[in-house]
Structures are given as structure tokens and as C-alpha cells.
Amino acid sequence: DRNIKIAPSILASDFANFGAEIRAIEAQGADWVHVDVMDGHFVPNLTFGPPAVKAFRPHVKTFMDVHLMIAPVDPYIEAYAAAGADMITAHVEAGPHIHRTLQAIKAQGVKAGVSLNPGTPLESIEHVMDLVDMVLIMTVNPGFGGQKFIHSGVDKTRRVREMIGDRDIYIQIDGGVDVTTAPLVAAAGADVLVAGSAVFKGGSVDQPEVYGENIRAI
Ligand code: DX5
Ligand code: ZN
């Protein structure tokens, strides 16, 4: 069947060893590296600015998937693209001009993703489907790892798959993905699964084989 990609979120990794953690998950089978950017405004947590993402870049050999949970987005697109993002995903809720934001991301020569929070209806992305390379369906309320999967995301995944039709657009699921919930969204049409706690739990840079076991189990 379709080969599902796993994108571990380094939000769940050791914050004192990002380079080693990135190398470890890629050596253990990660398809992408998911970088959760949080601004303490759009979401109640604060993580990585452009300098941090630039420091991650040389360690990423697969694909650096940058999830911007920030508002406003537009002032920072160029900086995250210059930091080396392969894809930049913006939240439809982050401002009134998602169409212009996605145009600005693509103008940087970077893949463009649009993300919806659990409470946001799909109608909000109806008119940008010709601009995006990926739709990120949040299955937790953004801001933290280790939260419980919100099951309404499964039907939402099915409906996004219908909206996509024969366009070449990935569906990414983000939040609470683990051995139990992954099959539900994979069956519903997901292409990329983000997993933080489900990948990093029980492992470390000194025990990276646990990351491989966790990735294969999802
Ligand atoms: C939440 C982030 C997610 C989160 C996933 O705001 O966007 O990527 O880090 O972590 P888990 O897989 O532990 O829910
Ligand atoms: Zn994320």
C-alpha cells in the first residue's frame, strides 16, 4: 500500500543535543525532521527562532519540515527559508491573508504547507488548494507534545483526501500519533505522520535503536 512517511518532531528530543538527536532519528529511519516553531503568542509555548533552525540544518540529511505556529507569519517567512527549511507550513488561523502567506512561502522556492487546528473547518482552505504542497491536520491543540489524539481528525483526513482529488498534495497528521492512532489516519488517507513522544520515548542519543523500534512500530 502507500508508503507512509514518519516525521519525528524534535520538540520531544533532548534540548541539549539537537544535532546528535537529528542524526540519530535519521540513522534510525526517520523520513523527515519536523521542527515545531512556537512564538508564545499563537500558541502558549516558545521554541526555535531562525538562528536555531539554521543550526539544525547541516545535521538534517532528509527533509526539514518547519511547522510555524506563529502569528503574524509573513515577517518571518524569508528568515526561516534562509535558515534552510525545505517546507514551511503556516496556520490558516494565524492571520487574515493565508493566500498571500502561501504565495510568499512559494516565492522563497520552498514547499508550502497549510495547517488547521482541530476546531477549524475545512472550508477555510478551500481556496488555497492550488497553492499548497501539503495540508497539515492538527490532531491536538498546538503548543505541546505528549497530548491526547483528537479523533475528529480521522474524518477530517478523509474529507481532505476528497478535497485534494487528483492533485499532488500530501496530508500530514500532527499530534498524538502513536501505534494506536497511526493506523486510523493512515487508513483515512494520510501520507506523513508527525510523532514526537511516540518516537523519542524510552530512547536517547546513547540508545538510538529505541527510536528505530518506535518508528517501525508506528
Ligand atoms: C504540537 C506540535 C506537534 C507535537 C507532536 O503543537 O505541532 O508536532 O510536537 O508531539 P506528539 O507526537 O508527542 O503529540
Ligand atoms: Zn508540529
Side-chain angles (χ1 to χ4, degrees):
D1 64 348
R2 283 171 309 120
N3 64 325
I4 301 273
K5 296 183 193 311
I6 304 296
S9 164
I10 59 168
L11 183 71
S13 73
D14 174 2
F15 272 42
N17 287 292
F18 285 120
E21 292 274 54
I22 289 167
R23 292 193 302 276
I25 54 174
E26 293 197 332
Q28 292 294 326
D31 296 294
W32 292 5
V33 175
H34 186 77
V35 178
D36 283 312
V37 176
M38 300 178 181
D39 66 357
H41 168 62
F42 183 69
V43 294
N45 197 355
L46 201 51
T47 60
F48 317 118
V53 174
K54 185 176 167 68
F56 302 157
R57 180 68 259 184
H59 304 282
V60 180
K61 301 296 174 230
T62 57
F63 186 86
M64 190 157 74
D65 163 34
V66 176
H67 178 192
L68 295 184
M69 289 160 277
I70 68 175
V73 181
D74 293 10
Y76 298 95
I77 291 170
E78 192 172 344
Y80 281 103
D86 291 305
M87 176 178 288
I88 292 176
T89 298
H91 269 261
V92 65
E93 308 90 353
H97 299 296
I98 186 62
H99 190 281
R100 177 163 55 204
T101 294
L102 292 166
Q103 287 180 317
I105 294 171
K106 299 199 66 90
Q108 293 294 321
V110 171
K111 296 279 186 196
V114 65
S115 183
L116 301 121
N117 288 326
T120 304
L122 293 175
E123 286 69 28
S124 60
I125 61 168
E126 221 169 311
H127 304 297
V128 296
M129 295 301 278
D130 289 332
L131 272 178
V132 297
D133 300 292
M134 186 170 82
V135 174
L136 191 172
I137 298 172
M138 291 302 298
T139 41
V140 293
N141 289 301
F144 301 93
Q147 299 182 88
K148 195 173 168 339
F149 182 86
I150 297 172
H151 281 261
S152 58
V154 180
D155 184 54
K156 209 168 181 180
T157 302
R158 271 193 283 275
R159 289 173 55 209
V160 170
R161 182 47 67 198
E162 284 162 23
M163 283 175 78
I164 287 174
D166 57 6
R167 292 184 186 90
D168 188 14
I169 298 175
Y170 280 136
I171 298 179
Q172 183 178 60
I173 308 298
D174 190 5
V177 172
D178 61 18
V179 293
T180 309
T181 57
L184 303 175
V185 284
D191 302 294
V192 186
L193 305 182
V194 174
S197 41
V199 168
F200 286 97
K201 76 177 185 312
S204 70
V205 287
D206 302 321
Q207 288 185 301
E209 61 285 348
V210 176
Y211 298 158
E213 289 158 21
N214 290 342
I215 287 171
R216 285 187 295 278
I218 290 173

